[in-house]
């Protein structure tokens, strides 16, 4: 692990899970965006020490109660976008290797509620991030949620359309292009097909 204490200003990275590992969007002011697929959270942190990394995966997991940040994000986004913020699983549910029904039952035993299938499918990604992060890294690596980010970039307005719809893709693409300038804005994919090509299986 790195020991830098100063946050670098020359680059920032956004990371999300994909079937090939993790896709990283690397932003350098004045230069634009670059994209790459990396195998693990560890590989991103090691390759870019001291860089601000926003990761679209739950970190800072709770043991039992719902996380306050999830509740606050859902409230801020309102309906229907707030439903995209699903409760993070308890840390004790990670690394169990259970089927969805079995893990759901275990979740009910531990917390009084089950977990969604969407959560179940990203448990390995959550476990990957949880293994690598430490209090010392909290100055560099933070959790982000796309819909909250779009809400902020749009001036406190939640997105109108679902991200799964073509109109929703265009809406988010346009918000990103307005928030960025120069080469970075030009690097935003124009179509969903172009976007998917950046992270095969994502």
């Amino acid at each position: 692990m790195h020991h830098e204490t100063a946050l670098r200003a020359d680059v920032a990275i956004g990371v999300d899970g994909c079937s090939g590992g993790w896709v990283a969007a690397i932003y350098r002011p004045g230069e634009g965006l670059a994209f790459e697929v990396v195998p693990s959270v560890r590989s991103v942190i090691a390759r870019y020490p001291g860089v601000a990394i926003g990761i679209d995966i739950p970190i800072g997991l709770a043991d039992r109660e719902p996380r306050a940040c999830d509740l606050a994000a859902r409230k801020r986004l309102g309906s229907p976008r707030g439903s995209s913020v699903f409760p993070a699983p308890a840390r004790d549910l990670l690394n169990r290797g259970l089927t969805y029904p079995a893990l759901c039952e275990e979740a009910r035993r531990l917390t009084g509620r089950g977990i969604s299938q969407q959560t179940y499918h990203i448990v390995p990604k959550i476990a990957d991030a949880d293994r690598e992060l430490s209090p010392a890294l909290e100055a560099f690596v933070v959790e982000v949620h796309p819909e909250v980010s779009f809400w902020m970039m749009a001036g406190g307005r939640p997105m109108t359309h679902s991200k799964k719809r073509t109109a929703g893709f265009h809406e988010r693409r346009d918000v990103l292009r307005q928030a960025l300038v120069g080469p970075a804005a030009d690097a935003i994919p124009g179509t969903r097909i172009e976007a998917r090509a950046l992270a095969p299986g994502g």
Side-chain angles (χ1 to χ4, degrees):
M1 291 298 180
H2 61 77
H3 301 286
E4 287 85 350
T5 57
L7 189 65
R8 290 173 54 181
D10 62 320
V11 60
I13 299 175
V15 182
D16 195 6
C18 65
S19 63
W22 299 81
V23 59
I26 303 154
Y27 171 64
R28 291 181 171 85
E31 296 184 26
L33 285 170
F35 300 91
E36 62 182 77
V37 176
V38 296
S40 66
V41 171
R42 177 193 290 263
S43 62
V44 179
I45 295 172
R47 186 170 178 180
Y48 297 96
V51 170
I53 299 174
I55 184 169
D56 180 19
I57 208 77
I59 61 178
L61 303 177
D63 293 327
R64 295 289 187 274
E65 298 301 318
R67 301 189 308 167
C69 61
D70 294 332
L71 299 176
R74 290 176 69 93
K75 182 177 180 180
R76 181 61 57 89
L77 292 172
S79 178
R81 297 286 82 79
S83 63
S84 67
V85 183
F86 49 88
R91 179 173 283 111
D92 287 346
L93 295 174
L94 304 182
N95 305 307
R96 295 294 190 93
L98 301 176
T99 63
Y100 173 65
L103 193 63
C104 211
E105 182 60 33
E106 184 67 5
R108 291 191 185 95
R109 185 185 70 80
L110 287 172
T111 68
R113 61 188 184 282
I115 62 171
S116 68
Q117 290 202 29
Q118 184 178 9
T119 300
Y120 174 75
H121 288 303
I122 66 169
V123 163
K125 301 294 187 189
I126 298 173
D128 180 15
D130 192 64
R131 281 192 299 270
E132 301 306 327
L133 297 183
S134 66
L137 285 171
E138 290 179 0
F140 305 96
V141 184
V142 297
E143 178 181 346
V144 297
H145 192 284
E147 293 303 317
V148 176
S149 297
F150 284 116
W151 172 89
M152 188 170 185
M153 286 186 285
R157 175 185 64 82
M159 297 293 95
T160 303
H161 305 285
S162 166
K163 67 179 183 179
K164 296 180 180 180
R165 301 180 65 86
T166 300
F169 174 85
H170 290 164
E171 182 181 27
R172 287 161 180 77
R173 177 201 62 194
D174 293 345
V175 167
L176 278 174
R177 286 178 172 173
Q178 291 169 8
L180 299 172
V181 294
D186 295 338
I188 300 300
T191 67
R192 194 183 296 275
I193 292 174
E194 291 176 295
R196 285 176 173 164
L198 298 172

